[in-house]
Amino acid sequence: MQHILDKALRQGRSVTGLGEVASYIPELSKADKNHVGVCVMDSVGGCFEAGDVEERFTIQSISKVVSLAVALELYGMEAVFGQIGMEPSGDAFNSIVKLAGDASRPYNPMVNSGAIAVASFIAPELTFDEMLERTREMCGDPDIVLNEAVYHSEMATTSRNRAISYLLESKGVLRCGVDEALELYIKMCSLNVTARSLAYLGLLLANGGIRLQDGKQLLQPETVRVVKSIMHTCGMYDGSGEFAVRVGVPTKSGVGGGLLSVVNKRMGIGIFGPSLDKKGNSIAGEKILQFLSAQMKLHVFD
């Protein structure tokens, strides 16, 4: 396994020059595009790492997985998906086009509009500090904290997400005020994690919501099944379909450079590589996952 992972890392590093770090959030533009790290945690307690696995970066859209899981635990599938769709949008993650047109609700919880709607479910019930504790538990990482610099940078450049939020409010989708939903959404995106944190979360989902270390059920099986399904169909923005064909592993990306992958009943994979393709996905991370999927037969249909 370590030999395969080391080779995968080299594959990932070979393509970092083909992408760019996110710049629409000014603080993210400070990332080193050459950083690459990958961590694999398997269902028998093994942990394999290569590269920059301890480098902290903001979780960004991968937080949508955590928030969706929490909302499902609080309200159940029917309530959450009564307000938010389950279909891939085919548009960029921050697109406003369909919502401004005939769409009466967000297409899915993995685009910004859907995630803001999910935050509006959570905000009346849980504080940010309570969500932070849940994230730490689900990622097995007590050192996860709010990156204040990124949070303030995002808040200063959040006009598009604010516009999305007001559209959601006008369509009766939000369950709390715009400011309350938007603040929780952006704070969750601004949490500092590592590739190791994401691998731990991936293993939790691969293991049906049961924490491997002590057998504690952190998430209900129904919640986990729904989350993994949405990750598989919608987790890689408007590149989700091609990724599902080429790699075939439920994965969620974030513009901070993270990738969270779940190989059902086998392993969780966390990757950090802030050099992004034009769709906002880690270019090194995609290369690594394509290599691992082919070498280890990880595709869901293999």
Side-chain angles (χ1 to χ4, degrees), residues 11 38 51-52 137 145 166 181 189 222 250 253 266 271:
Q11 295 264 328
V38 54
D52 303 305
E137 184 176 46
V145 297
Y166 280 117
C189 287
E222 173 70 6
S253 65
R266 290 178 62 183
I271 297 176

Side-chain angles (χ1 to χ4, degrees), residues 191-300:
L191 296 180
N192 267 352
V193 296
T194 66
R196 190 179 295 156
S197 315
L198 299 182
Y200 189 102
L201 174 57
L203 180 59
L204 176 70
L205 296 173
N207 203 37
I210 298 172
R211 186 164 59 194
L212 187 66
Q213 288 74 9
D214 60 6
K216 182 178 179 181
Q217 187 91 47
L218 297 186
L219 296 170
Q220 294 303 307
E222 173 70 6
T223 293
V224 175
R225 184 177 65 82
V226 172
V227 168
K228 288 186 290 192
S229 298
I230 294 293
M231 287 173 64
H232 190 51
T233 56
C234 307
M236 297 292 282
Y237 304 132
D238 49 326
S240 297
E242 183 175 352
F243 184 86
V245 172
R246 294 187 182 277
V247 180
V249 176
T251 298
K252 182 70 193 87
S253 65
V255 295
L259 287 174
L260 160 70
S261 298
V262 181
V263 183
N264 201 38
K265 298 182 180 178
R266 290 178 62 183
M267 65 185 70
I269 305 172
I271 297 176
F272 172 50
S275 182
L276 309 178
D277 65 18
K278 292 182 179 179
K279 296 182 178 182
N281 300 315
S282 171
I283 198 164
E286 288 188 85
K287 187 76 170 179
I288 288 169
L289 287 171
Q290 191 167 351
F291 178 81
L292 291 177
S293 180
Q295 290 291 309
M296 302 174 65
K297 304 296 183 186
L298 304 182
H299 197 293
V300 291

Side-chain angles (χ1 to χ4, degrees), residues 86 93 95 148 159 169 204 206 211 215 239 241 244 257 264 277 287:
M86 300 183 190
F93 60 90
S95 176
E148 294 279 356
S159 298
E169 183 183 55
L204 176 70
R211 186 164 59 194
N264 201 38
D277 65 18
K287 187 76 170 179

Side-chain angles (χ1 to χ4, degrees), residues 55-302:
E55 187 74 23
R56 291 271 166 188
F57 58 95
T58 48
I59 193 171
Q60 295 299 326
S61 284
I62 300 171
S63 67
K64 294 169 181 174
V65 172
V66 175
S67 295
L68 175 59
V70 171
L72 290 169
E73 294 282 294
L74 289 172
Y75 292 98
M77 178 178 167
E78 298 306 320
V80 172
F81 288 104
Q83 295 288 84
I84 304 163
M86 300 183 190
E87 302 301 328
S89 69
D91 294 324
F93 60 90
N94 60 354
S95 176
I96 205 168
V97 174
K98 288 187 172 74
L99 198 61
D102 295 333
S104 60
R105 60 181 187 167
Y107 265 62
N108 65 73
M110 300 291 113
V111 293
N112 290 11
S113 56
I116 293 168
V118 168
S120 80
F121 274 81
I122 297 169
E125 299 294 328
L126 298 173
T127 66
F128 167 69
D129 286 341
E130 289 171 324
M131 281 299 292
L132 174 59
E133 285 304 316
R134 291 197 181 203
T135 306
R136 287 170 172 169
E137 184 176 46
M138 290 167 64
C139 292
D141 185 354
D143 295 324
I144 293 175
V145 297
L146 178 69
N147 185 319
E148 294 279 356
V150 171
Y151 166 66
H152 290 296
S153 185
E154 291 203 41
M155 287 298 287
T157 55
T158 195
S159 298
R160 178 175 287 269
N161 282 331
R162 188 169 291 278
I164 289 170
S165 301
Y166 280 117
L167 269 173
L168 292 171
E169 183 183 55
S170 74
K171 293 173 182 284
V173 174
L174 295 187
R175 291 198 166 200
C176 66
V178 164
D179 289 340
E180 192 178 2
L182 196 56
E183 180 180 11
L184 179 60
Y185 167 72
I186 293 176
K187 280 187 171 179
M188 288 298 294
C189 287
S190 303
L191 296 180
N192 267 352
V193 296
T194 66
R196 190 179 295 156
S197 315
L198 299 182
Y200 189 102
L201 174 57
L203 180 59
L204 176 70
L205 296 173
N207 203 37
I210 298 172
R211 186 164 59 194
L212 187 66
Q213 288 74 9
D214 60 6
K216 182 178 179 181
Q217 187 91 47
L218 297 186
L219 296 170
Q220 294 303 307
E222 173 70 6
T223 293
V224 175
R225 184 177 65 82
V226 172
V227 168
K228 288 186 290 192
S229 298
I230 294 293
M231 287 173 64
H232 190 51
T233 56
C234 307
M236 297 292 282
Y237 304 132
D238 49 326
S240 297
E242 183 175 352
F243 184 86
V245 172
R246 294 187 182 277
V247 180
V249 176
T251 298
K252 182 70 193 87
S253 65
V255 295
L259 287 174
L260 160 70
S261 298
V262 181
V263 183
N264 201 38
K265 298 182 180 178
R266 290 178 62 183
M267 65 185 70
I269 305 172
I271 297 176
F272 172 50
S275 182
L276 309 178
D277 65 18
K278 292 182 179 179
K279 296 182 178 182
N281 300 315
S282 171
I283 198 164
E286 288 188 85
K287 187 76 170 179
I288 288 169
L289 287 171
Q290 191 167 351
F291 178 81
L292 291 177
S293 180
Q295 290 291 309
M296 302 174 65
K297 304 296 183 186
L298 304 182
H299 197 293
V300 291
F301 296 118
D302 277 345

